Amino acid sequence: QVQLVESGGGLVQAGDSLRLSCAASGRIFSNYVMGWFRQAPGKEREFVAAIGWSGRNTYYADSVKGRFTISRDNAKNTVYLQMNSLKPEDTAVYYCAFSYGYIPPPDPIEYRYWGQGTQVTVSS
């Protein structure tokens, strides 16, 4: 079993920055990839970013490219999401997700473990 704990959410103004963290703990057997997803009220959960095991392969939703950066520290089993130039439409609950493997899966259903989520609110 793997536990994921997100932190770093909050209330900010448009144009501000936030850094989310997600720490994985528990029985981690092998290499794994991590992803960030978000869900706004009344909307479906959507992909934000993902990172492969080595950290060299990163993937982003078009809506956040150039503004968000995903990174990881394997020694700490932690993944980060640096969010710059935040917009009101970035307001959502942000979830991190864990999947064994080297390359992030395209389908969120393939992520095995999920965090509880952290709220990000961006005011205009």
Side-chain angles (χ1 to χ4, degrees):
Q1 191 76 359
V2 175
Q3 293 80 42
L4 303 176
V5 178
E6 301 103 334
S7 61
L11 171 63
V12 297
Q13 293 187 332
D16 286 351
S17 299
L18 277 176
R19 189 175 85 151
L20 305 183
S21 300
C22 174
S25 62
R27 300 185 67 184
I28 299 173
F29 293 107
S30 64
N31 302 332
Y32 61 92
V33 301
M34 298 284 282
W36 285 98
F37 295 78
R38 67 187 181 186
Q39 188 166 18
K43 295 188 177 181
E44 293 187 355
R45 189 170 298 189
E46 65 174 0
F47 169 76
V48 175
I51 188 165
W53 166 249
S54 70
R56 289 193 296 270
N57 297 319
T58 57
Y59 308 84
Y60 297 95
D62 288 343
S63 59
V64 307
K65 274 181 187 175
R67 299 188 298 121
F68 291 10
T69 302
I70 189 170
S71 61
R72 65 188 294 164
D73 183 340
N74 287 346
K76 296 181 179 179
N77 285 331
T78 299
V79 65
Y80 305 96
L81 186 67
Q82 177 66 43
M83 306 186 295
N84 298 330
S85 303
L86 282 161
K87 304 176 181 180
E89 50 264 43
D90 295 318
T91 295
V93 177
Y94 283 70
Y95 300 89
C96 67
F98 175 110
S99 176
Y100 284 113
Y102 290 88
I103 303 296
D107 194 334
I109 200 171
E110 297 184 58
Y111 285 86
R112 187 168 182 177
Y113 300 105
W114 290 80
Q116 297 277 49
T118 184
Q119 176 71 45
V120 172
T121 303
V122 184
S123 64
S124 57

